[in-house]
């Protein structure tokens, strides 16, 4: 009988999953995702949320700022671009229906926001989005408030996570430069490469989400379903998580305990598809925080298994 493998890894700087606490700005560096290039920090990122919306703060560590472009072309100059996937569709090979694509910069001394894509199909162009821009010797700071009405179905009290991609655009020796967190908007649009923001709605300092590492519509019995349980931690009191997996209600991974620490914790799950029945299967993943036993994640995915050779995936 094939077995399910769970491999653990840890990273500093939250390279693909970050926690968004409720409340004010996250000045603590331990809560910020770091975007590095050539071994040096290029920018960092923090998120939090309140009744008004989801707040995104990006600090860019580049004293030079140049933005000679206007409107839809601002991506060619110094700016930040945000890709938002509020339904966490994680569409492969494209952006998906619900994805919002925005840009923020300073034009003629005034903050300017641009929308290239809305999730609800509204007209694109200059966007009325509250944000602050500042520029000084140490670089630029972008503080953006994304109203909940802009990213349905999320709200101040609803929704566990948000897909996010950030690109810091600029020029280096006259050549375009793009430093990214999450990927999927530069060099080919692909929402399955977005990072994940997890809303810490209960103030636990720990969260969890599960993503499909190699998305496909269906699998055959020679395939392996690869899932990543992402567990960002900002509270050192969080000691461990317990991972459980069920297939069609049958427990196949019973309470796998994994110690965690501040930063991004990843449990890479390799599930042989031959464990699934032919046709549609419900694969459920539950992650529980310890101590305390709080349920961080309870997520079910529909996975289609086909006989070997019948799947085009």
């Amino acid at each position: 009988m094939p077995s399910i493998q769970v491999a653990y890894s840890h990273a500093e700087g939250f390279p693909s999953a970050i926690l968004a606490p409720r409340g004010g700005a996250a000045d603590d560096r331990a809560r910020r995702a770091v975007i590095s290039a050539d071994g040096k920090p290029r920018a960092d990122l923090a998120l939090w949320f309140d009744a008004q919306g989801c707040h995104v703060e990006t600090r860019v560590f580049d004293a030079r700022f140049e933005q000679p472009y206007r409107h839809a072309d601002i991506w060619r100059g110094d700016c930040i671009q945000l890709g938002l996937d509020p339904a966490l569709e994680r569409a492969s090979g494209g952006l998906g229906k619900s994805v919002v694509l925005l840009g923020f910069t300073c034009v003629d001394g005034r903050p300017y926001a641009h929308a290239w894509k809305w999730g609800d199909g509204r007209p694109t162009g200059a966007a009325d989005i509250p944000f602050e821009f500042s520029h000084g010797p140490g670089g630029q700071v972008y503080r953006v408030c994304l109203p909940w009405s802009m990213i349905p179905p999320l709200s101040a009290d609803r929704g566990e996570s948000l897909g996010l991609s950030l690109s810091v655009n600029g020029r280096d020796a006259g050549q375009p430069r793009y430093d990214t967190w999450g990927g999927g908007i530069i060099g080919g649009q692909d929402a399955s490469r977005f990072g994940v923001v997890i809303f810490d709605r209960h103030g636990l300092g720990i969260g969890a989400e599960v993503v499909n590492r190699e998305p496909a519509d269906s699998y055959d019995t020679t395939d392996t379903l690869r899932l990543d349980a992402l567990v960002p931690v900002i509270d050192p009191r969080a000691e461990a998580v317990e991972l459980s997996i069920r297939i069609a209600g049958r427990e196949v991974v019973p309470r796998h305990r994994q110690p965690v620490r501040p930063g991004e914790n990843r449990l890479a799950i390799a599930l042989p598809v031959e464990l699934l029945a032919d046709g549609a299967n419900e694969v459920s993943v539950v992650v529980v925080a310890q101590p305390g036993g709080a349920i961080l994640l309870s997520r079910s995915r529909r996975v289609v298994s086909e006989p070997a050779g019948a799947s085009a995936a």
Side-chain angles (χ1 to χ4, degrees), residues 71-212:
H71 309 298
D73 287 332
I74 62 169
W75 65 273
R76 299 177 181 273
D78 283 26
C79 70
I80 63 169
Q81 288 182 260
L82 290 178
L84 309 164
D85 185 3
L88 207 65
E89 293 177 294
R90 296 185 66 82
S92 180
L95 291 182
K97 182 179 179 180
S98 70
V99 166
V100 178
L101 187 57
L102 306 171
F104 300 89
T105 190
C106 183
V107 174
D108 297 329
R110 302 179 63 179
Y112 176 77
H114 192 89
W116 291 282
K117 182 182 181 302
W118 292 108
D120 57 9
R122 74 181 78 173
T124 58
D128 184 16
I129 302 172
F131 88 99
E132 299 175 5
F133 173 86
S134 61
H135 173 58
Q140 301 85 48
V141 179
Y142 300 81
R143 293 188 178 95
V144 180
C145 176
L146 301 168
W148 296 116
S149 61
M150 186 179 297
I151 48 175
L154 299 174
S155 70
D157 300 303
R158 177 186 177 188
E160 291 80 27
S161 53
L162 164 72
L164 173 70
S165 181
L166 166 70
S167 177
V168 177
N169 299 2
R171 302 188 73 82
D172 188 356
Q175 298 300 312
R177 176 170 177 165
Y178 309 100
D179 296 300
T180 62
W181 186 88
I185 57 176
I186 298 295
Q189 295 182 342
D190 187 342
S192 70
R193 295 169 52 204
F194 281 20
V196 178
V197 178
I198 300 166
F199 297 106
D200 185 11
R201 297 191 180 278
H202 303 292
L204 299 174
I206 181 174
E209 185 56 87
V210 63
V211 298
N212 193 334

Side-chain angles (χ1 to χ4, degrees), residues 199-307:
F199 297 106
D200 185 11
R201 297 191 180 278
H202 303 292
L204 299 174
I206 181 174
E209 185 56 87
V210 63
V211 298
N212 193 334
R213 199 182 323 156
E214 300 168 349
D217 294 327
S218 61
Y219 302 82
D220 69 33
T221 52
T222 66
D223 291 330
T224 299
L225 175 64
R226 300 186 186 278
L227 304 172
D228 285 333
L230 304 172
V231 184
V233 176
I234 59 176
D235 190 334
R237 291 175 295 182
E239 297 178 2
V241 292
E242 291 181 348
L243 169 74
S244 301
I245 302 176
R246 292 177 177 269
I247 299 174
R250 174 173 55 91
E251 193 167 52
V252 292
V253 174
R255 300 181 66 176
H256 171 90
R257 182 179 176 86
Q258 176 60 58
V260 296
R261 57 192 177 165
E264 180 178 308
N265 302 267
R266 180 185 298 258
L267 284 74
I269 303 162
L271 189 157
V273 175
E274 61 185 291
L275 292 175
L276 307 180
D278 288 346
N281 295 259
E282 183 179 84
V283 177
S284 302
V285 178
V286 177
V287 178
V288 175
Q290 296 296 349
I295 298 176
L296 302 176
L297 172 72
S298 180
R299 185 80 73 239
S300 294
R301 293 181 176 273
R302 181 178 179 271
V303 180
V304 177
S305 174
E306 300 180 351

